[in-house]
Amino acid sequence: MRNRRQRGFSLIELLIVIAIILIIVTVALPKLNKARMYAQETAALKAIQTLNTAQVQYNSQFGRFAQSLTELGPPASGTDNASAANLISSDLAAGLKQGYNFTLTGTPTGYTISAVPSVFGSTGSRTFFSDQSLAIRENYGQEPATANSKEVGAAAAKAGDTTK
């Protein structure tokens, strides 16, 4: 009589394991993408805060607000000056950071900052706006946020307000 021992797994057992793994991935992947998108939106908010701080510093040093991101960025060579004050990183000065496109427009009395996702729905689902008032505003959707958009955190602040 032959004593036959089975070693390894049968094809059916391997297919069942692969099916279970695929089900887990199918459930977890959307949550992972949503978490990554939220992290990129949070990074965009921090970048806007950095730009606001850089504008305050720039105004203090040069007596006016910067007219573009490159004026806040590092100089190509030489020392810091009004056309390259070295107040922000080179990637932010180029206008692209962590899935968001940033634009800064200077005016005689202030500035505006706009941040929109590079790929809407993938790198972000909100657009942001800020100006010399330092308030950051958001818009859910592809329409760029403006000075009339809802302030970031306004809904949370109202929910926590118990003075009424």
Side-chain angles (χ1 to χ4, degrees):
M1 212 182 229
R2 212 179 197 194
N3 187 2
R4 184 173 173 201
R5 279 200 206 173
Q6 282 189 326
R7 292 187 178 214
F9 298 102
S10 71
L11 182 59
I12 298 294
E13 290 170 330
L14 288 174
L15 288 174
I16 290 171
V17 169
I18 290 172
I20 291 170
I21 290 171
L22 288 175
I23 290 169
I24 292 170
V25 166
T26 303
V27 169
L29 197 58
K31 292 185 186 290
L32 177 66
N33 287 338
K34 193 170 191 171
R36 182 180 47 81
M37 189 169 62
Y38 180 75
Q40 289 175 311
E41 289 176 350
T42 302
L45 286 170
K46 293 297 179 191
I48 291 172
Q49 289 174 340
T50 298
L51 289 171
N52 281 330
T53 302
Q55 280 285 40
V56 170
Q57 288 177 302
Y58 188 94
N59 190 25
S60 175
Q61 286 178 312
F62 301 106
R64 65 176 178 88
F65 290 111
Q67 302 298 300
S68 66
L69 290 170
T70 54
E71 287 185 1
L72 296 174
S77 63
T79 60
D80 304 343
N81 55 54
S83 61
N86 201 22
L87 297 172
I88 60 173
S89 62
S90 58
D91 58 345
L92 187 53
L96 180 63
K97 187 167 180 128
Q98 293 190 330
Y100 267 79
N101 294 320
F102 294 87
T103 55
L104 182 141
T105 306
T107 65
T109 59
Y111 62 91
T112 61
I113 300 169
S114 177
V116 296
S118 300
V119 180
F120 186 81
S122 177
T123 60
S125 62
R126 295 185 285 172
T127 59
F128 301 104
F129 172 89
S130 188
D131 58 18
Q132 66 279 353
S133 71
L134 306 181
I136 301 174
R137 302 189 176 280
E138 67 185 343
N139 184 42
Y140 283 90
Q142 291 181 321
E143 190 68 29
T146 66
N148 297 325
S149 299
K150 178 179 69 97
E151 193 170 337
V152 172
K158 285 183 182 178
D161 186 12
T162 58
T163 59
K164 291 182 180 180

